[in-house]
Amino acid sequence: MTTTARPDHTRNASPYLYGQETAAVAQALQGGQYGHSHVTEEFEHRIAEFLGVPDAVAVTSGTAALHTALLAADVGPGMEVIVPSMTFCATIQAILAVGATVRFIDVDPTTLCVTDQLVMDAVTDTTAAVIPVLFGGRAVDLLGARQELNQRGIAVIEDAAHAFGSRSGQHLVGTTGALTCFSFGPIKNLTCGQGGMVIPRSPEEADTVRRLRLLGVQESQGERANITTYRVGGFGLRYQLSAINAAIGLAQLDHFATTADTRRHLWHVYRDALAPLDGVVLVDVDVDHAVPHLCQILTPHRDQVFAELRAQGIGVGVHYPPNHLQPAFAAWHRPLPATEQVGREVLSLPFHQHLTEKDIDTVVTALGQALKSAGGS
Ligand SMILES: *Cc1c(COP(=O)(O)O)cnc(C)c1O
């Protein structure tokens, strides 16, 4: 279903609706379900079932998932959180929200992801958590570092905003024992409109996130209907996922196998089309295991190519300007050579499920010409 009349290759990203989402929202509204309700709980249940985990806790966004996960892992002031600079600014803002200190680290420039070694090199006595970012959909399990991190009491909180449905080896992201955070924002692999999900490591952690998302109130909505008071057990936020958003997510989940196949197929089409181009490095998302979220290249002529393609109406983008260079995060700046180079060279090609093979051909042909005129061949 095309949502606008614009040619599909003019957009960098775009939600893809299968058509059932509208009816699902109407059904929720007609049933009087607006805020947190049994529809939200059904969505949680279905996500847990999809992943094969005991529980999943829905929140309003991926940022809220990261925020509540950090709180549930007892991360706060005076503690340091290791995080790649190469991520969406939301990851960093969640760390600031709990009052912790940011320790930026570099990434492997071929994957844009952290490695066990890069993480372990940054660990100090004040490290409370590490947030690997599963960039572009590529799983980063840190399994080689987990034992030592566990021994040192350092939580692994996955920013899996890009990686719903991806696998680490045979294991779905969310099932390797980390505290995992998904985003179901408009352009993510699965969308609720806006939404997020925390995959807790224990029933206690699940309870904590449920309390945090409901203003610190402990009882469930059902229990509250039958009592004259409620108990505020601690700090809390207004982070429950509405039934309206959950209904969209439920409808999307029914089609997730198609989503995964389509995204992998489009990524393969790009890979084959890009292969003959000189001077282009494709960022490796491990497509055999990932549900790709992005299709990115590295080129030293990024700025010229970006301008040229935009001038032709092609929806290229940049994910992301490095966070350690952002004014808001300057206090934690440190030189990160690989990230800075990626920040100068990375280009995200249009990547979403409205694309056709012809669109991809249009993009890659224009890219080839832009590279030539930039002197990149
Ligand atoms: C989208 C995104 C988030 C935040 O998710 P929202 O649902 O937009 O709050 C966090 N990290 C990364 C890497 C993202 O792409």
Side-chain angles (χ1 to χ4, degrees):
M1 198 174 82
T2 302
T3 47
T4 78
R6 292 166 63 195
D8 292 325
H9 64 262
T10 63
R11 284 169 290 172
N12 184 248
S14 177
Y16 189 87
L17 300 181
Y18 288 91
Q20 281 76 35
E21 292 84 353
T22 316
V25 168
Q27 201 186 345
L29 292 175
Q30 281 154 13
Q33 307 298 320
Y34 310 104
H36 178 95
S37 83
H38 68 84
V39 182
T40 315
E41 279 155 26
E42 188 190 340
F43 183 51
E44 292 178 329
H45 179 76
R46 289 275 312 282
I47 292 285
E49 195 177 63
F50 174 90
L51 296 175
V53 293
D55 204 357
V57 186
V59 290
T60 43
S61 69
T63 310
L66 288 163
H67 185 189
T68 51
L70 282 159
L71 291 170
D74 286 322
V75 179
M79 302 176 201
E80 200 168 64
V81 178
I82 294 174
V83 66
S85 170
M86 185 47 63
T87 181
F88 186 42
C89 61
T91 323
I92 316 307
Q93 296 290 18
I95 300 170
L96 298 202
V98 302
T101 300
V102 178
R103 166 76 188 217
F104 284 123
I105 62 169
D106 230 337
V107 286
D108 176 337
T110 65
T111 63
L112 312 196
C113 290
V114 302
T115 63
D116 293 353
Q117 187 67 46
L118 287 163
V119 168
M120 292 318 298
D121 286 350
V123 167
T124 69
D125 288 343
T126 56
T127 307
V130 48
I131 307 184
V133 176
L134 284 61
F135 210 101
R138 184 189 184 91
V140 188
D141 58 30
L142 296 182
L143 285 180
R146 283 280 186 99
Q147 198 183 353
E148 194 177 340
L149 292 169
N150 285 346
Q151 275 163 6
R152 299 182 69 150
I154 299 169
V156 177
I157 302 175
E158 293 179 331
D159 182 340
H162 294 181
F164 183 75
S166 292
R167 285 173 192 270
S168 156
Q170 291 312 302
H171 303 284
L172 279 167
V173 168
T175 69
T176 67
L179 182 49
T180 303
C181 301
F182 292 111
S183 164
F184 301 133
I187 59 159
K188 299 296 159 69
N189 288 354
L190 185 140
T191 186
C192 288
Q194 297 281 358
M197 193 72 75
V198 177
I199 310 304
R201 295 172 296 180
S202 66
E204 294 71 36
E205 215 160 56
D207 283 350
T208 302
V209 177
R210 287 202 163 90
R211 181 165 50 76
L212 284 166
R213 75 170 176 192
L214 196 66
L215 296 167
V217 174
Q218 272 169 328
E219 289 83 4
S220 75
Q221 301 272 347
E223 284 166 350
R224 268 213 281 160
N226 299 319
I227 54 175
T228 55
T229 186
Y230 55 83
R231 190 177 132 77
V232 183
F235 174 73
L237 295 149
R238 192 55 137 173
Y239 275 172
Q240 331 89 290
L241 186 72
S242 80
I244 299 165
N245 294 108
I248 298 172
L250 278 165
Q252 286 261 301
L253 193 57
D254 285 339
H255 296 277
F256 192 74
T258 305
T259 298
D261 285 349
T262 305
R263 299 187 80 92
R264 282 195 195 107
H265 174 69
L266 292 171
W267 205 92
H268 280 127
V269 173
Y270 261 124
R271 185 178 64 185
D272 294 348
L274 290 165
L277 295 193
D278 286 330
V280 165
V281 176
L282 183 59
V283 175
D284 181 8
V285 295
D286 187 16
V287 69
D288 294 335
H289 295 99
V291 177
H293 175 63
L294 295 168
C295 182
Q296 298 175 293
I297 60 162
L298 299 170
T299 165
H301 306 287
R302 196 274 310 275
D303 289 353
Q304 289 136 282
V305 169
F306 179 93
E308 178 62 31
L309 293 180
R310 276 287 180 95
Q312 293 181 40
I314 293 174
V316 285
V318 173
H319 300 86
Y320 297 94
N323 283 288
H324 70 291
L325 305 177
Q326 293 286 3
F329 311 135
W332 302 288
H333 176 272
R334 61 178 61 234
L336 298 171
T339 300
E340 284 157 30
Q341 185 165 356
V342 167
R344 289 189 297 269
E345 298 193 350
V346 76
L347 184 74
S348 300
L349 302 175
F351 193 71
H352 52 81
Q353 288 157 250
H354 298 282
L355 287 177
T356 60
E357 295 188 18
K358 189 166 165 291
D359 288 321
I360 293 176
D361 186 56
T362 303
V363 172
V364 174
T365 302
L367 174 65
Q369 282 159 2
L371 282 165
K372 267 207 191 93
S373 52
S377 51

